[in-house]
Amino acid sequence: MITDDKITEIFCLADDFCKLYERMVKKYSLESPKSSKRKYHRDGKMNVAEIIVIMIMFHSSNNRCLKHFYIDCVFSDFFSCNPR
C-alpha cells in the first residue's frame, strides 16, 4: 500500500494539475450558448484531485473491484472512529 506521505504528495501534484487544467480550459474553450434548461443535478462534494488520487491508489493496489477497494481502504481509513 502507498504511504500517507506519498498519498499527500500525489494529491498535491493532482491538485496543481487540476488548477492548471481548469485555467487552460477557461482560457482556450469556446463559450457555450446560454440555454434555458434547468440544472437538476448538484455539483459533487469531492474534488477532482481527490478522485484522481483514489483512482491512482486503486490501480496501484491488487484489488479488482473499485467498490470494495473504496469501502475497505478509503472509506474505513478516513471515516473510522479510531483516532490515529
Side-chain angles (χ1 to χ4, degrees):
M1 191 69 183
I2 302 174
T3 63
D4 290 342
D5 294 334
K6 194 56 129 172
I7 292 172
T8 305
E9 181 182 346
I10 292 170
F11 175 77
C12 291
L13 291 171
D15 192 45
D16 291 341
F17 169 77
C18 290
K19 288 177 184 175
L20 178 67
Y21 181 76
E22 286 295 321
R23 274 191 278 144
M24 292 298 146
V25 166
K26 285 182 183 178
K27 185 176 180 180
Y28 293 111
S29 65
L30 298 174
E31 289 185 26
S32 61
K34 304 293 181 190
S35 66
S36 61
K37 291 184 179 181
R38 283 199 221 167
K39 185 178 177 184
Y40 290 103
H41 300 286
R42 290 179 280 188
D43 291 336
K45 293 183 180 183
M46 287 185 78
N47 189 350
V48 177
E50 293 172 335
I51 297 169
I52 291 172
V53 171
I54 289 172
M55 293 307 295
I56 290 171
M57 289 171 54
F58 171 69
H59 286 291
S60 65
S61 71
N62 292 330
N63 293 339
R64 291 181 152 204
C65 179
L66 180 62
K67 176 184 173 184
H68 292 134
F69 170 77
Y70 185 80
I71 291 171
D72 294 341
C73 299
V74 178
F75 191 76
S76 65
D77 284 345
F78 294 116
F79 297 107
S80 65
C81 296
N82 301 329
R84 289 185 177 192

